[in-house]
Amino acid sequence: MITLTRKPLNALKLPVARTAYKKALIVIACSTLGAVSLNAQSSDVTVPDTIHWTIPFGVGGGTDVWARFFTTWMRDHIQGNPTLVIDNVPGGGSINGSNLFAMRAASDGSQWIGTSASTQYPAMLQDRRVRYSYDDWTPILATPTGGVVYAQPSLGDNAEEVLSALTEQRVKFAVQSHTGLELPVLIALDLLGADVQAVSGMRSRGEGRLAFERGEADIDFQTTSAYFSSVAPLVESGRAVPLFSLGVLSESGDIIRDPAFPDLPTFNEVYETLHGEAPSGPAAEAYRKFFASGFTLQKLILLPSDTPEALIQEYREAARRFVDTEAFKDAAMAQLGPYTPVVGEVVEQHLQEAMSLDDTTRQWLVEWLLEQHGARI
Amino acid sequence: MLDVLFSSLGQLFTVPHMLYMVIGVLIGLVVGIIPGLGGIAGMSLLLPFLYGMEPSVALGMLMGLVAVIPTGDTFASVLLGIPGSSASQATVVDGFALAKKGQAARALSSAFLSSMIGGLIGALVLTAFILIARPVVLSFSSSELFMLTLLGLSMVAVLSGKDVFKGVAACGVGLLVGTIGMAPATGEFRLPFEIDYLYDGLPLVVVGLGIFALPEIIDLLVRRGAIAEQPCKLGKGWKEGIKDVAQRPGLVARCAGIGSLMGTIPGLAGSVVDWLTYGHAVQSAKDKSQFGKGDIRGVIAPESANNACACGAMVPTLLFGIPGSGTAAVFLGGLLLLGLQPGVSMLETNLDLTYTIIWSLALANILGAALCLGLARPVASLTRVPFVILAPLITILILFAAYQATRSLGDLFALGIIGAVGVLFKQANWSRPAFLIGFVLAPGAEAYFYQAAQFQGAEAFMRPGVLIIGALIAASLIVPPLRSYLQKRRPTEKSATHELQEEVAPLSLGVIDVVLLGSLLAGAGYMWLVFADLSMLGGIMPRLAIFIIVAACLLEIIRTVIKPMKWQVQTLRQQFLWVAGFFALIGSVMVFGFLFTAAVFCLGFLLVVARVKPVVAVGVTAGITLFLVGIANLLALTYPAGMLVSL
């Protein structure tokens, strides 16, 4: 049902990719063995004994669990197996902890931060509380996620009927806040011509789904892992109709079908079928940016940019040593869904691109939020 | 289903499972006993070890922890007057009053026994309910949840007794403080005063500690006794506590039932349950005069409810993947780390694990309560130690506990300010529980009202569930006064006439009342102006809170003018000095850092104020410092370092 690689779309290349992948696996296996046996002389980097990893969220939340999942893998693959200590700094929806990190973190490689969409969005929207800048940080690894928009079957039996019903009647959508993870979804629905009434104040995406299951919300959205565990059963029993996925960003920067939902069209495909052309203008630009920073790079491991280059490279190498292994993919299935983390330079490029919101787009967003949803930023 | 039920029971009694569960129970006890550390801290201790563990064993350990924390935190509530966690706030009111009367052991033993029974009832409810819970939980829409918050607010009238207007005003202040932060409807910020800390609103733990614990410490310091004013009869006390519970099976069962059902409704914080059941105990009692002064029913009711509630909170966690409480949220994280996705499929594919969870919950409740009962006697003798010796220890514990809320210096300042308000309220007899209920329910009431109106429009308030809860609210407000009225009309009964005389006793008014009324009215006017910029939706709740404050204050003033008044002397100078001292302590934390301040304060206080032998002072100080350093290492905490360090 689910493919494990991030780019299965180009079917012709797949066998090649697979052999290359096996080769890579052997190379990695050999190099790991080599690294283990030749540990003493392997390199001139001094990795700190203890790495403090700031997680600007409380214990047990999504980002915290994500970080705890990665600590074991990172520890086992960084030279000298440093101790990774998770430092939870809850409050301010991750802004407080990130501000503290920006202010205090030492750049000797002993301090990491793990951020999420809710850290990235306020920085893009220039929230007045934000005192951190992604320009000062260098990414080690990013994990993507995908998501699916679905609707009540009362709106129509299939996606097409629902989509046309959306343009004819007002639909309700339960969101955490207008500038939360749901922001790109709200923009996408607006681009499709749907008249959406966003009811805010949900404390989690899960509460939003509960409102959908109770029949209070007409339309809802979940990220991949939540979709599989909680929405797929609803779809099977005919209590939800999937409309489209957000897709994933390919390395060349195109939005392609999500490997987790190969049968579902992406938002861009749906838009093209309806309008005959790709979405454009400030709305499409805003969608693209928030999609990239909230989904393609949903969660990031970062450290201060002035950390010694050799250490940054060592951490990135460590991540590369495990992200493509079967063992990791099996373990990651429940945590990350069928997506492979992105490591190193690729993240750096995407990150810069995603976080930069030009003034026209931001201005459009401010006006749109106020007009459509009565929300001020 | 039955075979799964028993096969998972068999699983429970295997050696590794029992072993890990006992580990979980022991950690839970320690974490529960230390104030400020609740389920969230306990879980974060265990989470790193989960990865790679056998799920059923790991779940046993987690449940051991979850089940015991609302039992263990009773120690702090009863003995020190510190709400150990949000689940034990109501226990403080009568539990600590009992401890002050020298009946700590009685309060503790009845608390533990009712905790255990509550937990078992909770597990029982969960066993049956988990299979049929889905439609029930789904039937609670935002409008029913809104009505439940109103039901919670109606308890204010019950809890404030004859000072009902003061209680309502206190509740209004709580509501107003609860609106600090982001408006759920529009994302506007209210009352942030450009302070980053306030954008998020105040944390419940800080408000709970400030309103209850700090005023109690200061009060005890002013009076300089031991916590127990009378010599403690420990030997008799704990049997009496068990007898107390045995005599009130109905109350225990009802409160456990309320607790487990409230727990199953996601979104309604577990911290309301103890007040609801406390209110229920007051309402259903014939003689209400002892509540707040040490009525054992005030301990039994919330304690039977809070463990049951912890069980109930597992229903939405397991069924919907939506945590019913803070601890359940961390438990959810633990499930994900074990590779288990909670949700409908959890029941279909992992029913055995689900029942392992429930069995572990029940067994851990028994184990935890038994351990606590064993500890009750030795620990209760703490109350005979002169309070001046305990005071620095408790003060540092409170600072530590408050700081765990968001790990910001703002926590300490908020604690001090709320504490000062608490001192005023305590001295002038304004209901502190009413304030807390207002604070706890404000965000929920606003969000649910807004959501109900948005989702359902006017129909929201015609739903059958809404009407039923509405009838309950009406009954809870009308029945008690009606009953006392009917009792008064029967003059033949001697006890009734006695009660009558008490009612007619002149109301008292003091200088603090005047100050509070004046500053609340002035403050309300000022706030009204501050809120002028808010949009209609974002401003409705704070404006309502102001309206409630003003109306209650005016009614109180009218009442004092009409009715016969007795001027009461309310002293404040000494209390005020201690509050100032507390702020000096916070200032010192800012400048010199937490660890240094804690050590110096403790040593200085013991030598200068408590005048103990230097050896004892040094020993106690070293103990506190070691504890702080140890717990920091264990939980990966960093304390405020102080400005001097960064120079």
Side-chain angles (χ1 to χ4, degrees):
Chain A
M1 169 178 82
I2 297 153
T3 40
L4 283 170
T5 45
R6 255 186 89 243
K7 16 177 190 181
L9 193 71
N10 198 334
L12 281 175
K13 277 191 184 165
L14 205 58
V16 186
R18 198 161 281 165
T19 30
Y21 167 71
K22 269 185 187 158
K23 271 185 203 160
L25 199 66
I26 292 165
V27 171
I28 289 167
C30 292
S31 57
T32 318
L33 276 176
V36 170
S37 55
L38 300 174
N39 211 359
Q41 47 165 299
S42 56
S43 108
D44 49 353
V45 197
T46 340
V47 177
D49 296 333
T50 308
I51 295 171
H52 282 271
W53 189 358
T54 298
I55 299 299
F57 297 90
V59 175
T63 310
D64 181 63
V65 171
W66 166 88
R68 284 172 201 275
F69 168 75
F70 269 105
T71 47
T72 335
W73 291 92
M74 281 302 210
R75 182 195 63 214
D76 291 349
H77 290 88
I78 296 174
Q79 280 179 38
N81 306 38
T83 314
L84 268 87
V85 181
I86 294 205
D87 219 342
N88 296 92
V89 191
S94 83
I95 293 178
N96 292 358
S98 309
N99 280 343
L100 271 183
F101 183 83
M103 209 162 69
R104 288 195 195 148
S107 42
D108 57 357
S110 68
Q111 306 246 288
W112 296 4
I113 185 167
T115 70
S116 180
S118 46
T119 327
Q120 272 111 254
Y121 283 5
M124 294 167 74
L125 294 167
Q126 296 179 344
D127 187 307
R128 54 192 156 146
R129 289 170 292 160
V130 169
R131 259 163 256 130
Y132 52 88
S133 160
Y134 277 75
D135 296 339
D136 302 334
W137 297 339
T138 298
I140 300 293
L141 169 149
T143 57
T145 188
V148 175
V149 178
Y150 55 96
Q152 295 285 1
S154 58
L155 291 171
D157 293 333
N158 55 46
E160 270 172 36
E161 281 179 33
V162 174
L163 282 168
S164 73
L166 286 185
T167 55
E168 282 153 20
Q169 68 186 85
R170 192 136 213 241
V171 287
K172 288 160 190 157
F173 178 18
V175 301
Q176 299 172 80
S177 80
H178 297 96
T179 50
L181 188 65
E182 299 95 344
L183 177 59
V185 180
L186 284 173
I187 302 174
L189 288 167
D190 187 55
L191 278 165
L192 291 175
D195 185 7
V196 177
Q197 180 186 5
V199 181
S200 62
M202 301 291 141
R203 264 166 303 180
S204 63
R205 280 289 55 242
E207 271 191 15
R209 174 173 47 77
L210 208 57
F212 177 87
E213 285 192 54
R214 288 196 299 248
E216 289 188 297
D218 305 302
I219 195 163
D220 193 41
F221 161 80
Q222 292 294 328
T223 54
T224 305
S225 49
Y227 183 87
F228 280 125
S229 66
S230 307
V231 185
L234 296 181
V235 173
E236 271 165 37
S237 59
R239 281 175 287 167
V241 181
L243 301 181
F244 55 85
S245 82
L246 296 184
V248 295
L249 209 62
S250 74
E251 266 177 38
S252 55
D254 300 314
I255 292 179
I256 56 172
R257 280 205 180 187
D258 191 323
F261 311 102
D263 300 332
L264 267 187
T266 64
F267 156 68
N268 292 54
E269 285 178 58
V270 171
Y271 185 91
E272 279 192 50
T273 343
L274 283 176
H275 295 88
E277 55 175 355
S280 60
E285 177 66 12
Y287 170 76
R288 208 187 143 75
K289 296 281 186 192
F290 283 95
F291 164 70
S293 100
F295 291 86
T296 311
L297 307 171
Q298 198 202 24
K299 295 195 196 299
L300 289 159
I301 304 178
L302 302 145
L303 39 72
S305 297
D306 44 355
T307 304
E309 188 59 26
L311 265 178
I312 295 176
Q313 288 311 327
E314 168 55 25
Y315 294 152
R316 286 181 177 170
E317 276 309 314
R320 278 193 200 100
R321 279 174 210 136
F322 66 79
V323 291
D324 280 328
T325 61
E326 284 302 321
F328 174 78
K329 284 177 179 173
D330 284 348
M333 200 56 196
Q335 309 288 334
L336 313 174
Y339 309 98
T340 311
V342 199
V343 183
E345 287 80 7
V346 188
V347 190
E348 215 157 352
Q349 279 166 17
H350 281 324
L351 185 64
Q352 248 174 3
E353 217 263 325
M355 299 290 297
S356 57
L357 205 62
D358 62 54
D359 289 339
T360 345
T361 315
R362 184 175 293 111
Q363 195 49 42
W364 173 86
L365 199 66
V366 168
E367 281 163 21
W368 176 78
L369 279 169
L370 194 61
E371 272 168 31
Q372 294 287 318
H373 299 292
R376 296 180 215 181
I377 48 173
Chain B
M1 180 203 142
L2 273 181
D3 51 324
V4 182
L5 203 62
F6 288 109
S7 72
S8 51
L9 184 63
Q11 175 100 59
L12 192 69
F13 286 104
T14 56
V15 174
H17 195 281
M18 286 300 281
L19 190 72
Y20 276 98
M21 198 177 84
V22 169
I23 293 176
V25 167
L26 290 177
I27 294 179
L29 261 188
V30 174
V31 166
I33 289 173
I34 301 173
L37 299 183
I40 295 176
M43 286 280 188
S44 55
L45 268 176
L46 294 183
L47 279 186
F49 303 103
L50 288 187
Y51 189 68
M53 264 175 89
E54 167 69 29
S56 76
V57 173
L59 287 176
M61 182 166 77
L62 288 181
M63 290 332 287
L65 185 112
V66 170
V68 170
I69 284 172
T71 314
D73 64 9
T74 309
F75 278 116
S77 303
V78 170
L79 297 179
L80 309 176
I82 307 176
S85 70
S86 56
S88 291
Q89 280 161 347
T91 315
V92 173
V93 178
D94 279 307
F96 190 52
L98 278 167
K100 283 200 271 189
K101 279 186 182 170
Q103 299 177 358
R106 177 186 172 202
L108 285 175
S109 59
S110 56
F112 296 140
L113 191 65
S114 43
S115 268
M116 183 179 86
I117 300 173
L120 289 178
I121 293 177
L124 211 66
V125 169
L126 188 54
T127 309
F129 198 53
I130 196 112
L131 292 173
I132 54 153
R134 236 185 125 70
V136 180
V137 174
L138 283 178
S139 67
F140 276 88
S141 74
S142 39
S143 47
E144 279 87 9
L145 289 172
F146 171 68
M147 293 304 284
L148 281 174
T149 58
L150 288 192
L151 179 64
L153 283 173
S154 74
M155 290 299 146
V156 167
V158 181
L159 291 178
S160 15
K162 66 183 166 123
D163 283 320
V164 67
F165 296 123
K166 287 182 184 178
V168 174
C171 174
V173 178
L175 282 170
L176 189 63
V177 174
T179 62
I180 294 176
M182 193 195 266
T186 56
E188 287 165 287
F189 289 107
R190 295 177 299 208
L191 299 177
F193 302 113
E194 298 296 318
I195 302 169
D196 278 8
Y197 178 75
L198 291 178
Y199 280 93
D200 240 7
L202 295 178
L204 174 60
V205 176
V206 172
V207 175
L209 285 169
I211 204 79
F212 283 122
L214 213 56
E216 293 296 346
I217 296 179
I218 289 173
D219 193 50
L220 283 167
L221 278 174
V222 169
R223 288 192 278 125
R224 302 240 174 165
I227 289 177
E229 287 154 0
Q230 298 158 8
C232 201
K233 287 175 228 144
L234 284 174
K236 208 178 125 201
W238 81 287
K239 267 187 209 150
E240 208 181 316
I242 290 172
K243 231 185 281 167
D244 283 323
V245 178
Q247 281 164 357
R248 296 174 179 84
L251 184 68
V252 175
R254 284 196 308 270
C255 292
I258 297 175
S260 44
L261 288 180
M262 289 300 237
T264 57
I265 301 161
L268 209 69
S271 43
V272 192
V273 168
D274 51 342
W275 290 118
L276 267 182
T277 46
Y278 185 86
H280 170 73
V282 178
Q283 269 176 338
S284 59
K286 284 208 182 79
D287 174 19
K288 303 183 199 327
S289 61
Q290 288 309 304
F291 280 100
K293 295 171 200 150
D295 192 309
I296 196 72
R297 287 168 294 187
V299 174
I300 294 175
E303 284 302 314
S304 340
N306 62 17
N307 276 43
C309 181
C311 296
M314 288 298 140
V315 170
T317 315
L318 294 171
L319 270 182
F320 298 97
I322 294 169
S325 68
T327 314
V330 190
F331 174 72
L332 191 71
L335 283 180
L336 292 173
L337 271 182
L338 292 168
L340 297 169
Q341 279 281 358
V344 201
S345 49
M346 180 92 193
L347 290 192
E348 284 153 12
T349 50
N350 287 317
L351 190 63
D352 55 331
L353 278 183
T354 311
Y355 277 116
T356 306
I357 292 173
I358 298 169
W359 284 119
S360 308
L361 207 55
L363 194 62
N365 260 308
I366 300 176
L367 263 176
L371 279 170
C372 285
L373 272 176
L375 283 171
R377 278 185 71 171
V379 180
S381 54
L382 256 184
T383 51
R384 282 180 296 181
V385 178
F387 188 72
V388 267
I389 297 177
L390 286 179
L393 187 93
I394 298 177
T395 309
I396 287 167
L397 269 182
I398 290 178
L399 280 175
F400 169 81
Y403 186 68
Q404 297 318 310
T406 71
R407 312 256 166 90
S408 145
L409 278 173
D411 287 330
L412 303 185
F413 283 101
L415 174 71
I417 293 166
I418 301 279
V421 175
V423 168
L424 290 177
F425 278 15
K426 184 178 163 64
Q427 294 304 109
N429 212 10
W430 290 45
S431 167
R432 290 178 289 161
F435 171 86
L436 200 68
I437 291 181
F439 173 78
V440 171
L441 291 177
E446 180 179 16
Y448 292 133
F449 178 77
Y450 163 73
Q451 284 161 15
Q454 292 281 300
F455 278 134
Q456 300 164 358
E459 285 165 39
F461 305 102
M462 314 296 276
R463 294 165 59 101
V466 171
L467 297 178
I468 292 170
I469 303 171
L472 273 177
I473 297 172
S476 82
L477 290 178
I478 295 167
V479 171
L482 197 70
R483 193 160 39 169
S484 69
Y485 176 74
L486 288 178
Q487 265 172 1
K488 271 187 223 163
R489 292 200 44 171
R490 264 178 268 153
T492 40
E493 278 179 52
K494 270 182 189 168
S495 62
T497 45
H498 194 72
E499 221 172 293
L500 201 73
Q501 277 167 351
E502 208 174 22
E503 289 279 322
V504 178
L507 293 156
S508 58
L509 187 79
V511 64
I512 305 176
D513 286 316
V514 176
V515 170
L516 272 174
L517 288 170
S519 53
L520 281 181
L521 286 174
Y526 169 71
M527 293 292 176
W528 191 269
L529 294 177
V530 172
F531 291 132
D533 303 344
L534 287 178
S535 67
M536 192 359 230
L537 269 177
I540 192 162
M541 187 69 187
R543 289 193 185 116
L544 185 69
I546 291 175
F547 175 76
I548 291 173
I549 295 172
V550 171
C553 286
L554 290 179
L555 284 169
E556 176 69 21
I557 292 170
I558 293 171
R559 186 164 84 154
T560 54
V561 173
I562 298 174
K563 290 219 172 177
M565 251 321 127
K566 191 179 78 179
W567 187 259
Q568 189 187 29
V569 185
Q570 292 171 329
T571 51
L572 197 63
R573 192 172 299 138
Q574 258 192 308
Q575 279 84 351
F576 196 73
L577 279 176
W578 286 110
V579 172
F582 187 77
F583 275 103
L585 197 64
I586 297 173
S588 165
V589 170
M590 265 181 86
V591 179
F592 301 106
F594 182 67
L595 275 178
F596 180 79
T597 304
V600 170
F601 163 72
C602 187
L603 195 66
F605 194 98
L606 286 175
L607 287 174
V608 179
V609 184
R611 293 179 197 282
V612 298
K613 284 183 197 139
V615 190
V616 181
V618 171
V620 172
T621 307
I624 290 181
T625 317
L626 268 178
F627 163 77
L628 290 174
V629 172
I631 202 103
N633 280 324
L634 204 61
L635 291 173
L637 304 177
T638 26
Y639 296 125
M643 284 185 276
L644 285 187
V645 176
S646 54
L647 286 179

